[in-house]
Amino acid sequence: MIAPKKQNLHGNPSQILPSELIDRCVGSKVWVVLRGDKEIEGTLRGFDVFVNMVLEDVTEYEITPEGRKVNHLDQILLNGNNIAVLVPGGKPEDS
Amino acid sequence: MAEGQSGAKTPADFLKSIKGKAVIVKLNSGVDYRGVLACLDGYMNIAMEQTEEYVNGQLKNKYGDCFIRGNNVLYISTVRQA
Amino acid sequence: MAEEDNTVREPLDLIRLSLDEKVYVKLKGERELRGKLHAYDQHLNIILGDVEETVTTVEIDEETFEEIIKTNKRMVPYLFVRGDGVILVSPPLRS
């Protein structure tokens, strides 16, 4: 990995690494947009170097031609392979 | 990388906790497999027993044992016990 | 450990225990194979013998918009399957 230049850090003291950002989400709600028409929301319990994630009280949204399908799950291990976007705090409609 | 996660449940912890339990495995294609998790490895390759294959929520097939190649796995979920 | 270890410690053991047996292989692109498992490796590259290949296609009738599901079967004496196409492998039902 290429380390950020020192002067950049001085210019932007709030800069954090992506992995730190995910680490700060542990214990709180996250909204995960996957490749393909799927989204997952749940409480982040942990993750690993591949950003495989353990999520709890999960809601799965699937966008199909017939409309949005919703599915509830207790606890899942989400494969990091298909993650496109991770939004800390959960889906905006909830807040 | 995960050193900051004290008290967190990492993927490795989760996998240990679900061995021998009823699970749902969803593939990227949207197909669901429900059965008892026998074991899995670092590629998320999965061995399952008493497996039922659901396509669009409809039971399509049953397998005594089955091996699922890890690259197809979207998630592994615990099953809500009634 | 004995040479003939018939416990399943890792998922690939399930495949190892199916060597020389008839297996079912589900592939990407709605393809299914049934045949005798001769060999495999860690990528799930597979060599099968006396294989029945089933290809399922769905066509839409242009007038009625009905889905027409067609299955084409053929026999192949001996074939190699590249591992990346494999979705699922199931050993024969052990009675």
Side-chain angles (χ1 to χ4, degrees), chain B residues 12-31:
Chain B
D13 298 331
F14 177 80
L15 294 175
K16 263 182 245 164
S17 74
I18 58 166
K19 268 191 196 164
K21 301 247 169 72
V23 293
I24 302 168
V25 175
K26 194 181 193 95
L27 305 190
N28 294 319
S29 61
V31 180

Side-chain angles (χ1 to χ4, degrees), chain B:
Chain B
M1 197 204 329
E3 65 278 312
Q5 303 181 50
S6 54
K9 189 166 191 176
T10 62
D13 298 331
F14 177 80
L15 294 175
K16 263 182 245 164
S17 74
I18 58 166
K19 268 191 196 164
K21 301 247 169 72
V23 293
I24 302 168
V25 175
K26 194 181 193 95
L27 305 190
N28 294 319
S29 61
V31 180
D32 278 343
Y33 292 91
R34 291 161 175 263
V36 177
L37 186 92
C39 59
L40 38 77
D41 65 18
Y43 299 104
M44 276 201 212
N45 290 327
I46 296 170
M48 280 172 92
E49 294 163 355
Q50 300 157 46
T51 312
E52 295 174 334
E53 179 180 74
Y54 288 85
V55 181
N56 299 321
Q58 286 182 308
L59 181 61
K60 280 282 147 82
N61 251 318
K62 285 186 182 185
Y63 309 104
D65 287 317
C66 90
F67 173 100
I68 298 170
R69 200 174 189 267
N71 66 310
N72 302 296
V73 175
L74 175 67
Y75 65 68
I76 306 169
S77 170
T78 56
V79 175
R80 204 168 282 205
Q81 302 295 345

